[in-house]
Amino acid sequence: SFLVLGLIYIYKTYLIYFERKSSALLALILCMLLPMISHSGIRFHNYSMTLFLSSILFYKLKTWKTINYKRIISLSLLSSALISTKLNGAFIGIACVGVIISNKENLKLLSLKSIILFALVFISSFVFFIKPEIFFNLVTLDFKSFFLSFSNYLNMVFIVLGEGRPDFGFNYISFKDHFLSGPLILLSIFGYCFWYYKDSNKRKEIFMLFFCLLICSIYIIFTSKIWHAPTYLIGICFLMPLSLRSLDFIKNKKISLIIGLMTLSLSLQHFLIKYDLMLSLIHISEPTRR
């Protein structure tokens, strides 16, 4: 399934970040213990596909030392497939920007030509993925039908986004139910901050990874108008366990081990408490909406 494929790429990503395989494996276990991951794997939904496409997009950017025009086209197609699958798949873009700007070789290729190429491929493929008939209208130069169909699609999105009223308290509780408990949130924030402090060579990237998680979570919690809004963070949730990278900078291995085991035990406890909730959500969930 897409969830298994996504976890494979997530683990490969962790192997790049962590110095020890044991740390990468621990991060993978913590990722799998996020209740939202099990929620994605046990139901027929585009959540797992969103996670897979986000993880492979991030992994490709992380492994490519340089980005040529062929790879720009590949990234554009992959990005359009991700966002057409679920609009909130765009959240991973913030973290991807962090990877790009931290690589000096990538910055050299950020020319106007490369940006235009990415945009043209993205727009045309995105239109094709969301609604092939809209793409057909564009190819046949039937602009009247094209703009009408595309306008109807945008109206549908705005109607869904405009329903209901934001509920900060409920959204925050839902966020914790799907991802991290209060203590785990604090540990994750501390981990990212300590990693940022210790790893001076990767500060731009670390900041963008943390900013991606922070700004997207805040946006969902404060502005969301639907009960299952935190599920929209599925495409970036695998970035949360990266906070464990801070353990590699703790010289005292006993302290590092204690923090790792404490994080694991808290994650397991949270998962066991919320797993039944994830199962119940399948039976009461609304029809899939972007």
Side-chain angles (χ1 to χ4, degrees):
S1 69
F2 284 112
L3 178 61
V4 174
L5 292 173
L7 290 174
I8 291 174
Y9 277 100
I10 289 170
Y11 180 59
K12 293 170 74 173
T13 300
Y14 291 162
L15 287 174
I16 297 173
Y17 277 99
F18 292 95
E19 295 178 355
R20 298 185 295 270
K21 286 187 178 180
S22 57
S23 299
L25 183 59
L26 176 60
L28 179 65
I29 293 173
L30 294 182
C31 182
M32 294 172 65
L33 288 176
L34 294 174
M36 185 58 204
I37 295 295
S38 63
H39 181 38
S40 302
I42 59 181
R43 63 177 301 194
F44 185 77
H45 202 282
N46 55 8
Y47 291 148
S48 56
M49 187 173 181
T50 303
L51 179 64
F52 165 67
L53 291 174
S54 295
S55 61
I56 191 174
L57 175 64
F58 187 80
Y59 173 76
K60 291 296 183 183
L61 277 174
K62 188 63 184 174
T63 53
W64 288 341
K65 293 182 179 180
T66 59
I67 301 178
N68 52 37
Y69 291 122
K70 182 179 179 180
R71 287 176 173 174
I72 288 175
I73 294 175
S74 298
L75 290 174
S76 184
L77 289 172
L78 189 56
S79 299
S80 62
L82 168 61
I83 299 175
S84 61
T85 298
K86 204 161 184 64
L87 291 177
N88 40 74
F91 288 160
I92 194 64
I94 300 174
C96 290
V97 169
V99 173
I100 292 173
I101 63 177
S102 65
N103 188 328
K104 295 181 180 179
E105 294 298 323
N106 287 341
L107 289 176
K108 294 178 181 179
L109 284 174
L110 286 180
S111 62
L112 180 61
K113 184 178 179 180
S114 62
I115 294 174
I116 292 175
L117 175 62
F118 180 91
L120 289 176
V121 175
F122 177 85
I123 293 172
S124 58
S125 56
F126 176 73
V127 171
F128 176 78
F129 288 141
I130 60 170
K131 214 168 184 181
E133 59 264 33
I134 300 180
F135 179 79
F136 179 76
N137 292 332
L138 183 62
V139 172
T140 57
L141 302 181
D142 186 357
F143 295 112
K144 182 178 180 180
S145 298
F146 169 78
F147 285 115
L148 179 61
S149 298
F150 198 72
S151 176
N152 290 336
Y153 172 78
L154 290 178
N155 287 335
M156 177 196 70
V157 173
F158 289 138
I159 288 174
V160 172
L161 293 177
E163 291 179 344
R165 294 182 302 173
D167 188 340
F168 163 74
F170 185 81
N171 288 336
Y172 176 66
I173 293 173
S174 182
F175 173 83
K176 293 200 298 181
D177 287 343
H178 285 86
F179 297 105
L180 302 172
S181 63
L184 287 171
I185 292 175
L186 293 177
L187 281 172
S188 181
I189 293 174
F190 174 79
Y192 263 104
C193 292
F194 190 71
W195 181 19
Y196 178 87
Y197 173 73
K198 286 293 186 178
D199 196 352
S200 58
N201 295 325
K202 290 288 184 179
R203 282 182 177 170
K204 289 181 180 179
E205 183 175 341
I206 298 167
F207 172 80
M208 290 301 290
L209 294 178
F210 179 70
F211 181 73
C212 177
L213 288 170
L214 180 65
I215 198 66
C216 292
S217 298
I218 290 176
Y219 172 77
I220 288 295
I221 292 173
F222 280 92
T223 67
S224 211
K225 301 176 182 179
I226 48 180
W227 67 271
H228 59 282
T231 63
Y232 290 170
L233 300 173
I234 183 64
I236 62 172
C237 67
F238 69 93
L239 300 177
M240 295 175 182
L242 283 177
S243 62
L244 284 178
R245 178 69 174 92
S246 61
L247 298 182
D248 290 337
F249 296 95
I250 299 178
K251 295 181 179 180
N252 191 316
K253 299 304 177 184
K254 288 185 178 179
I255 295 178
S256 178
L257 180 61
I258 290 173
I259 295 176
L261 290 176
M262 181 177 65
T263 305
L264 179 60
S265 62
L266 287 172
S267 297
L268 181 59
Q269 180 188 36
H270 183 65
F271 174 81
L272 293 175
I273 293 173
K274 301 303 179 182
Y275 182 71
D276 288 340
L277 174 65
M278 295 298 101
L279 287 175
S280 65
L281 288 176
I282 299 175
H283 304 294
I284 63 174
S285 59
E286 298 174 345
T288 303
R289 291 178 177 177
R290 279 196 177 92

